[in-house]
Amino acid sequence: MFSGSTAVARSARGWWSTNQPTRSMWATLWQRSLPRLTSQIRSCTSSTEVAAPRFRPHSSVISKCQVTIFETMSVLSAKHGSINLGQGFPDVDGPEDVRQIAADAIMTQTNQYPPMMGTAALREAVADHYNHFYDLGFDWKTETLVTAGATEMLAACLFGLLDPGDEVVLIDPTYDCYLPIIRRAGATPRMVTVAPPDWTLDLNALEAAFGPKTKAILLNNPQNPSGKAYTQAELEAIAALVRKHNCYAICDEVYDHLVFDGVQHRTLLSFPGMRERSIKIGSAGKTFSLTGWKIGYAAGPEDMIRTVSRAHQFLTFTVPPNLQAAVAFGLRKPDSYFSGLTMEMQEKRDRLATGLSAAGFGVVPTAATYFVVADISPLGFTDDVDFCRLITEEAGVTAVPMSAFYQDPDIPRHFVRFCCAKQNHVLDAAVDRLTTYFQGSPSQFGDNSSG
């Protein structure tokens, strides 16, 4: 087999070896053609884009998220040396005795993994605290949980309770983490909008947001960023819809001790039929002005807490034991501490609101939280994003645009949010800068004390 082909090949090799002139001619032609051929190859490969190996796409939810408005404005504030009233945190640390407990616990107590559900001391303190203020009858052994901040608690609740295809009712404006977590869980948000200046909840729109796929409502009360505290009638309507649709309520109530003007916070769990289907979330960061500690806690019915804890175990599993010891101590402080916190923040709200009004802003009534919302239209502005950039760069004060918290594109765009949880002299300095910029002279309010 193949003997004919082999003979032909041998004959060709013999002819090539015995015909020196022909071999020399072909060698010369090859040498002359090689540079031109090489150039053509290079031209071809350089003019045609060679595709790099493509990786599979990142998360379709998380990869589309932008840097938070808080980080964006804080970076801009630092760049221009402005007074940052944008991001919501105090500029002084919380109670010294609480901090001392944390410091001592590092040296005198274990620094190894505490129990996944939280230390017994903190869980018992959470139950006692909620039972004292709201008479909810929680059992600390089965109905409490501790996480790395309220944000992780929210994530654990949403990942633990939701399935793909579920729907969650939200009231816009919302805290920025809500939507990404809900979407990452495969659920769909159903938005109901409240808007300044009165933040009234449209009960018909609320009812329309509930349906056969509704798994939960995520209620932030008091509400960040608006400073709204929900009325009795609004809470009754929410509770009735939750019961009617046999769904859950995830209650983000981290500002429950920061409700002003003598109004007592009313938790949704206190309404008929809500204790057994709701989780109440709190935060040491807000209650003790220790936002960097990231200690969150919650109480709710045993079955819900059990499921939420299953998600928590795969998120952070546990949180620092020394900080838990300190928060447990703090939650047992006398009522005077919590009422004093409320009064102190109310005074700061009033101080900032008075100064902003003198500077020409229209100040929206604030019922709770760290924040004061102001109308910029009296100053002649209609775009909150441009305005916040302007005052950061030129007036030396930073706020955040309220439109950044909304999904509704038709909301008013002439409102901005300021944080009042700052020392008095910082608030006074910010007001002076704004008054000078817009009115041509510094404000005359306040005593510029260092409180």
Side-chain angles (χ1 to χ4, degrees):
M1 190 175 182
F2 303 122
S3 58
S5 297
T6 302
V8 170
R10 287 174 177 172
S11 175
R13 284 199 300 270
W15 176 84
W16 182 261
S17 62
T18 58
N19 286 273
Q20 179 66 34
T22 302
R23 194 165 70 243
S24 298
M25 179 188 69
W26 281 107
T28 300
L29 288 173
W30 172 251
Q31 290 174 354
R32 290 175 179 175
S33 302
L34 183 60
R36 185 160 57 97
L37 181 61
T38 301
S39 176
Q40 289 174 344
I41 292 173
R42 288 175 176 168
S43 174
C44 180
T45 57
S46 64
S47 63
T48 303
E49 182 178 349
V50 179
R54 295 185 61 85
F55 297 104
R56 295 176 66 83
H58 299 168
S59 163
S60 60
V61 174
I62 303 303
S63 64
K64 294 177 182 177
C65 294
Q66 303 298 314
V67 174
T68 70
I69 188 63
F70 313 116
E71 180 67 11
T72 299
M73 295 311 300
S74 291
V75 169
L76 191 65
S77 175
K79 178 180 177 181
H80 293 279
S82 74
I83 298 173
N84 189 354
L85 301 187
Q87 194 164 3
F89 60 86
D91 58 356
V92 294
D93 286 338
E96 183 177 354
D97 55 355
V98 174
R99 290 183 285 128
Q100 189 63 55
I101 293 289
D104 292 344
I106 290 179
M107 302 307 298
T108 62
Q109 300 182 24
T110 178
N111 289 280
Q112 307 310 318
Y113 292 132
M116 182 265 290
M117 299 289 290
T119 64
L122 179 51
R123 295 176 66 202
E124 189 170 2
V126 169
D128 289 348
H129 185 83
Y130 284 166
N131 294 341
H132 171 68
F133 281 99
Y134 307 110
D135 193 25
L136 295 171
F138 286 119
D139 180 352
W140 75 265
K141 293 181 180 179
T142 59
E143 296 186 311
T144 60
L145 177 65
V146 179
T147 57
T151 299
E152 195 225 331
M153 188 69 77
L154 287 164
C157 287
L158 295 167
F159 288 143
L161 298 175
L162 299 180
D163 282 318
D166 287 340
E167 295 181 353
V168 181
V169 176
L170 296 167
I171 299 176
D172 218 12
T174 60
Y175 185 58
D176 61 353
C177 78
Y178 291 177
L179 291 174
I181 299 173
I182 289 169
R183 288 168 175 155
R184 181 65 276 182
T188 300
R190 295 298 181 198
M191 312 301 294
V192 182
T193 300
V194 296
D198 56 9
W199 311 109
T200 300
L201 178 61
D202 184 334
L203 299 184
N204 291 326
L206 177 70
E207 183 173 10
F210 282 78
K213 294 183 179 180
T214 303
K215 176 66 73 70
I217 182 171
L218 173 47
L219 180 66
N220 183 201
N221 180 37
Q223 188 186 53
N224 173 14
S226 68
K228 173 183 174 62
Y230 285 81
T231 66
Q232 178 85 4
E234 290 171 336
L235 292 172
E236 287 177 348
I238 292 169
L241 286 167
V242 171
R243 293 191 301 267
K244 176 182 177 180
H245 291 272
N246 193 30
C247 57
Y248 300 108
I250 303 167
C251 301
D252 180 355
E253 300 186 356
V254 299
Y255 292 101
D256 59 350
H257 288 297
L258 293 173
V259 181
F260 308 136
D261 304 314
V263 177
Q264 296 298 311
H265 174 68
R266 181 80 186 270
T267 177
L268 191 66
L269 281 74
S270 66
F271 287 79
M274 297 306 295
R275 164 69 169 76
E276 61 266 28
R277 62 174 72 244
S278 307
I279 286 182
K280 174 177 170 57
I281 300 173
S283 165
K286 302 304 187 293
T287 301
F288 301 107
S289 301
L290 296 165
T291 59
W293 282 18
K294 298 297 292 180
I295 301 292
Y297 39 84
E302 180 178 358
D303 60 330
M304 290 181 72
I305 289 293
R306 183 189 308 115
T307 299
V308 172
S309 71
R310 298 298 186 265
H312 161 63
Q313 71 180 341
F314 297 125
L315 292 172
T316 63
F317 181 72
T318 192
V319 296
N322 66 308
L323 301 184
Q324 293 194 58
V327 176
F329 170 83
L331 287 173
R332 296 189 181 282
K333 278 180 167 290
D335 290 1
S336 58
Y337 166 77
F338 301 98
S339 60
L341 175 70
T342 302
M343 289 305 300
E344 178 184 10
M345 202 59 62
Q346 179 176 317
E347 291 169 0
K348 291 180 181 297
R349 175 206 64 175
D350 294 343
R351 190 181 195 94
L352 179 59
T354 300
L356 291 174
S357 180
F361 291 83
V363 178
V364 177
T366 299
T369 74
Y370 283 166
F371 309 110
V372 173
V373 175
D375 185 353
I376 60 175
S377 61
L379 294 169
F381 294 88
T382 58
D383 188 289
D384 56 353
V385 175
D386 290 345
F387 180 85
C388 287
R389 181 174 293 276
L390 172 74
I391 62 171
T392 297
E393 295 177 348
E394 297 190 12
V397 179
T398 297
V400 292
M402 283 295 294
S403 63
F405 299 96
Y406 279 96
Q407 299 301 301
D408 185 350
D410 296 324
I411 53 92
R413 301 185 65 89
H414 53 90
F415 293 91
V416 299
R417 191 196 78 173
F418 294 92
C419 175
C420 61
K422 308 295 180 182
Q423 297 175 77
N424 287 345
H425 73 90
V426 175
L427 298 176
D428 293 353
V431 167
D432 281 348
R433 290 185 182 189
L434 291 169
T435 305
T436 299
Y437 185 78
F438 290 113
Q439 307 298 333
S441 60
S443 69
Q444 301 301 312
F445 94 104
D447 59 6
N448 288 307
S449 66
S450 59

